[in-house]
């Protein structure tokens, strides 16, 4: 063992400790690797920074921009709607449908691309259903990685496999496009079952969102019991034709009517005016305290629904919510009442409360004379709040969620996605160039502005992977990878087929965690085939074991997909260890069993 091999193993151990104990953020670990490896002479300065311009990292940047373009045009909204139609609000069904779909797509395109494209839809579904996005993204990411084993073009190791199967000048029979499909299907099924059974114990509930309801946790602490939302169904025998103003719902029940749906949901009225009349068959959405909502339902004879149904999408946290706006000194609101300003008609928002000094006023808002510095609590759709924030009348105390969608550009966004896929699959253009073509096309056709494209990229992911790529190079440059592999293989002697395939699988999984899966495949395929010939095992099966085991990388956020979902899912390294250890063992058992069964 040379001093260089000892040094690179020590650097690897140092990196793993930094990941586990989180002394610094993961992207800082990547930058540390970029600095320390060339200073120790383990890689050249050019190799140390080459990760930032690698095909993998550039592809990630491009595919994130493409995904942002699809999200900005409402395409991901439509996809989320389709998934929710089939899955409802069941966490296990949502997880299975998202993860299974991504896995299948990963069989025909790079897994990082499939994961990045579905990331916005998964986040929207999590926000809309109240399922923490951290419980959706990790199963999705793991299945995206495994999905690369469905076909021979699903992952880089499998693409390389046939070209590497040469031993002693003899080229072995190539595998077909779908030769690996039975193994991939079993692995995906095993992963889905694993998360369905154990997901509640191993998946974190953290996410980047601070609240899945209509009001943020900060506002909830101030306006207690005001932000709960309820849907009522007005029975067909409702006879009262009094206006909302006459019904006096707010003074009596401290509840505000924010939306009405009638004619089986075909007509929707947001921020109804005081002159609106409730009709038989209407669905009403109220914001207010739960106990008062229950009393109102009993007194009025309305049916209180267990959850939002008619307005499940339109008033979900993705599309609507509650904001607090401070009245500015130069606002036209000053000195006027809510009634005089006609806030509901002009801005399509519903006033819920007014905070002045240390008092919160919920009733009598119509005749309340507004003063500079008053805080207005308003409910409305995010698109409306985005328009209001451009006016000089109110300053919102929080960033407005959501965004103004460019739905007219949806077909253009899909066209550029199709162009990228055609370049990859039809013309075999390098992945990064093909995806950059789609990303650039979206900017040039104004699907996204260039600033929005820059803002969509998670630079933490970029620097994490940019620093780990030279660590893999150091392992190969110093001969550490070959030394470890040779030592283990020499210690085996003449093993049984099951033992040999298991050792090959474990060794490949280890190298894939700390180095590139391509590097591990190039190194271990010839080595494992030679070992298989000596042990009387089919060398093609040994080579296939390496290519499939190269996707068994779940324990650390070193894989591109794991790094991509880390921040949106609110994950820490320990979350990957907790979920990944079990997944790694199951993957290995199912893979070896499938290889013995089918080959």
């Amino acid at each position: 063992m040379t001093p260089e091999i000892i040094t690179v193993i020590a650097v690897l151990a140092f990196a793993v400790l930094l990941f586990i104990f989180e002394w610094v953020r993961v992207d800082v670990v990547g930058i540390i690797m970029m600095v320390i490896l060339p200073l120790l002479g383990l890689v050249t300065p050019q190799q140390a920074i080459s990760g930032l311009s690698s095909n993998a990292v550039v592809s990630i940047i491009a595919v994130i921009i493409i995904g942002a373009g699809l999200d900005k045009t409402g395409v991901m909204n439509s996809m989320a709607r389709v998934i929710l139609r089939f899955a409802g609000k069941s966490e296990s069904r949502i997880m299975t449908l998202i993860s299974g779909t991504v896995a299948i797509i990963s069989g025909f395109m790079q897994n990082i691309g499939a994961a990045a494209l579905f990331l916005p839809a998964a986040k929207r579904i999590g926000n809309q259903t109240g399922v923490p996005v951290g419980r959706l993204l990790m199963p999705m990411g793991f299945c995206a990685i495994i999905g690369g084993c469905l076909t021979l073009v699903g992952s880089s190791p499998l693409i390389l496999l046939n070209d590497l199967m040469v031993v002693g000048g003899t080229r072995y029979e190539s595998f077909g496009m779908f030769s690996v499909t039975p193994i991939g299907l079993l692995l995906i099924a095993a992963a889905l079952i694993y998360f369905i059974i154990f997901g509640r114990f191993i998946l974190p509930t953290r996410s980047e969102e601070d609240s899945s309801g209509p009001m943020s946790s900060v506002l909830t602490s101030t306006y207690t019991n005001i932000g709960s939302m309820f849907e009522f169904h007005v029975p067909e025998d409702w006879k009262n034709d009094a206006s909302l103003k006459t019904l006096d719902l707010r003074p009596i029940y401290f509840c505000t009517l924010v939306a009405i749906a009638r004619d089986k949901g075909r007509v929707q009225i947001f921020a109804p005016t005081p002159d609106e009349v409730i009709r038989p068959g209407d669905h009403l959405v109220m914001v207010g305290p739960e106990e008062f909502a229950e009393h109102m339902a009993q007194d009025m004879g309305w049916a209180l629904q267990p959850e939002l149904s008619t307005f499940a999408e339109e008033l979900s946290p993705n599309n609507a919510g509650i904001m607090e706006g401070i009245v500015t000194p130069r606002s036209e609101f000053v000195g006027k009442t809510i009634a005089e300003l006609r806030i509901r008609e002009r801005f399509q928002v519903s006033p819920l409360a007014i905070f002045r000094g240390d008092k919160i006023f919920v009733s009598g808002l119509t005749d309340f004379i507004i003063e500079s510095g008053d805080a207005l609590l308003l409910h409305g759709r995010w698109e409306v709040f985005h328009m209001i924030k451009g006016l000089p009348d109110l300053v919102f105390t929080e960033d407005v969620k959501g965004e103004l969608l460019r739905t007219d550009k949806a077909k253009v966004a899909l066209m550029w996605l199709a162009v990228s896929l055609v370049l990859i699959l039809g013309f075999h253009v390098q992945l990064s160039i093909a995806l950059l073509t789609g990303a650039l096309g979206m900017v040039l056709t104004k699907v996204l502005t260039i600033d929005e494209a820059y803002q969509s990229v998670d630079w933490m992911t970029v620097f994490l992977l940019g620093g780990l790529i030279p660590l893999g190079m150091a392992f190969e440059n110093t001969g550490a990878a070959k030394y470890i592999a040779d030592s283990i293989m020499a210690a085996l002697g003449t093993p049984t087929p099951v033992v040999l395939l298991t050792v090959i699988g474990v060794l490949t999984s280890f190298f894939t965690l700390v180095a590139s899966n391509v590097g591990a495949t190039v190194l271990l395929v010839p080595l494992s085939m030679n070992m298989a010939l000596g042990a009387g095992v089919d060398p093609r099966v040994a080579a296939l074991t390496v290519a499939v085991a190269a996707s068994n990388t779940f324990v650390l956020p070193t894989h591109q997909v794991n790094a991509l979902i880390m921040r949106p899912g609110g994950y820490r390294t320990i979350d990957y260890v907790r979920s990944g250890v079990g997944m790694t063992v199951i993957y290995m058992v199912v893979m070896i069993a499938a290889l013995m069964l089918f080959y």
Side-chain angles (χ1 to χ4, degrees), residues 370-573:
I370 296 174
E371 297 178 2
S372 173
D374 285 347
L376 305 186
L377 192 68
L378 305 170
H379 178 278
R381 287 169 292 169
W382 299 131
E383 60 192 57
V384 174
F385 284 125
H386 275 287
M387 289 187 284
I388 295 175
K389 75 178 183 181
L391 303 175
D393 301 295
L394 292 175
V395 175
F396 292 119
T397 56
E398 298 177 314
D399 290 335
V400 181
K401 297 179 183 178
E403 55 192 337
L404 293 172
L405 298 179
R406 302 184 184 114
T407 52
D408 57 314
K409 295 284 186 179
K411 292 182 179 179
V412 179
L414 286 170
M415 179 196 74
W416 284 113
L417 172 63
V419 167
S420 296
L421 294 177
V422 168
L423 289 176
I424 296 166
L425 301 175
F427 295 93
H428 305 291
V429 174
Q430 184 170 304
L431 185 67
S432 56
I433 302 302
L435 292 172
L436 273 178
T437 302
L440 177 62
M442 287 192 174
V443 172
L444 294 177
T445 53
K446 298 183 179 178
V447 172
L448 289 169
T449 67
I450 188 65
D451 290 329
E452 288 169 338
Y454 287 142
Q455 291 165 8
S456 68
V457 178
D458 187 348
W459 297 103
M460 185 186 87
T461 303
V462 170
F463 279 96
L464 169 61
L465 291 175
L468 292 177
I469 288 171
L471 179 58
M473 292 178 179
F475 245 76
E476 295 171 26
N477 289 353
T478 59
K482 190 173 189 309
Y483 173 81
I484 295 172
D486 287 341
S487 300
I488 292 175
M489 292 299 190
L492 279 178
T494 308
T496 62
V498 173
V499 172
L500 176 65
L501 295 183
T502 302
V503 170
I504 292 171
V506 170
L507 196 58
T508 306
S509 299
F510 168 75
F511 282 135
T512 305
L513 275 178
V514 300
S516 69
N517 53 8
V518 172
T521 305
V522 171
L523 171 70
L524 292 175
V525 165
L527 195 61
S528 63
M529 291 182 74
N530 277 306
M531 283 296 301
L533 288 170
V537 177
D538 185 350
R540 295 173 73 246
V541 178
L544 185 60
T545 302
V546 173
V548 175
S551 292
N552 188 10
T553 170
F554 310 108
V555 180
L556 292 173
T558 50
H559 191 279
Q560 300 160 17
V561 174
N562 288 339
L564 174 73
I565 63 176
M566 190 170 192
R567 177 177 291 197
Y571 300 130
R572 299 200 295 257
T573 303

Side-chain angles (χ1 to χ4, degrees), residues 145-160:
I145 296 171
I146 297 171
C149 299
L150 281 175
T151 68
L152 225 62
V153 297
S155 67
S156 299
L158 285 166
I159 292 171
L160 291 169

Side-chain angles (χ1 to χ4, degrees), residues 310-387:
T310 308
F311 287 95
E313 182 179 347
E314 288 81 2
L315 296 183
S316 74
N318 284 332
N319 301 315
I322 296 172
M323 295 291 296
E324 180 187 55
I326 307 297
V327 179
T328 63
R330 61 185 180 278
S331 172
E332 67 162 310
F333 292 12
V334 176
K336 296 180 180 178
T337 64
I338 296 285
E340 289 172 339
L341 289 169
R342 298 185 299 111
I343 287 179
R344 289 173 176 266
E345 299 98 311
R346 292 172 59 197
F347 303 112
Q348 293 291 296
V349 294
S350 301
L352 304 178
I354 295 178
F355 193 173
R356 175 181 294 173
D358 58 354
K359 293 183 179 180
I360 298 175
F361 299 90
V362 178
S363 63
L365 300 186
T366 304
D367 301 318
F368 200 97
I369 299 175
I370 296 174
E371 297 178 2
S372 173
D374 285 347
L376 305 186
L377 192 68
L378 305 170
H379 178 278
R381 287 169 292 169
W382 299 131
E383 60 192 57
V384 174
F385 284 125
H386 275 287
M387 289 187 284

Side-chain angles (χ1 to χ4, degrees), residues 72-358:
K72 188 74 175 176
T73 56
V75 173
M76 287 305 169
N77 253 348
S78 302
M79 187 178 294
R81 206 159 32 237
V82 171
I83 291 174
L84 286 173
R85 188 178 302 137
F86 289 99
K89 291 198 172 183
S90 165
E91 180 179 325
S92 59
R93 284 204 299 271
I94 292 171
M95 181 272 293
T96 301
L97 199 53
I98 293 176
S99 302
T101 304
V102 172
I104 292 170
I105 293 175
S106 292
F108 300 92
M109 68 180 292
Q110 289 289 319
N111 46 35
I112 182 65
L117 287 177
F118 266 77
L119 183 60
K123 290 167 68 177
R124 286 184 180 275
I125 290 170
N127 291 338
Q128 185 162 328
T129 58
V131 176
V133 72
R135 301 179 73 83
L136 297 178
L137 293 188
M138 191 169 286
M140 183 194 81
F142 283 10
C143 285
I145 296 171
I146 297 171
C149 299
L150 281 175
T151 68
L152 225 62
V153 297
S155 67
S156 299
L158 285 166
I159 292 171
L160 291 169
L161 179 62
N162 286 334
D163 292 335
L164 297 174
M165 290 199 305
V166 180
V167 178
T170 302
R171 177 174 291 279
Y172 284 80
E173 182 185 350
S174 298
F175 286 101
M177 174 77 165
F178 298 102
S179 297
V180 75
T181 303
I183 300 173
L185 290 174
L186 286 177
L187 289 170
I188 292 169
L192 292 175
I193 293 170
Y194 171 65
F195 281 113
I196 289 172
I197 296 175
F198 299 106
R200 71 190 71 177
F201 307 110
I202 59 176
L203 291 173
T205 57
R206 297 180 306 275
S207 73
E208 63 176 5
E209 302 294 332
D210 63 352
S211 172
S212 60
M215 189 157 59
S216 72
S217 57
V218 175
L219 293 181
T220 301
S221 63
T222 303
Y223 300 93
T224 311
N225 293 329
I226 292 180
S228 300
M229 192 177 295
F230 306 95
E231 183 170 328
F232 301 83
H233 177 247
V234 180
E236 297 296 338
D237 57 359
W238 170 260
K239 301 297 184 183
N240 196 330
D241 59 356
S243 66
L244 289 175
K245 187 175 182 179
T246 306
L247 287 175
D248 275 343
L249 298 179
R250 193 206 297 270
I252 299 173
Y253 302 106
F254 299 103
C255 290
T256 302
L257 180 61
V258 298
I260 301 174
R262 53 182 49 134
D263 295 337
K264 297 182 179 180
R266 288 190 290 270
V267 177
Q268 294 185 338
I269 304 167
F270 296 99
T273 65
D275 298 324
E276 188 65 53
V277 175
I278 295 174
R279 302 177 187 174
D282 281 356
H283 281 261
L284 316 174
V285 176
M286 299 274 186
V287 175
E290 183 174 2
E291 58 181 315
F292 286 95
E294 292 172 351
H295 287 312
M296 180 167 54
Q298 292 173 1
D299 295 346
M300 294 292 179
W302 299 340
L304 179 58
Q305 307 296 299
E307 59 186 17
L308 294 189
S309 54
T310 308
F311 287 95
E313 182 179 347
E314 288 81 2
L315 296 183
S316 74
N318 284 332
N319 301 315
I322 296 172
M323 295 291 296
E324 180 187 55
I326 307 297
V327 179
T328 63
R330 61 185 180 278
S331 172
E332 67 162 310
F333 292 12
V334 176
K336 296 180 180 178
T337 64
I338 296 285
E340 289 172 339
L341 289 169
R342 298 185 299 111
I343 287 179
R344 289 173 176 266
E345 299 98 311
R346 292 172 59 197
F347 303 112
Q348 293 291 296
V349 294
S350 301
L352 304 178
I354 295 178
F355 193 173
R356 175 181 294 173
D358 58 354

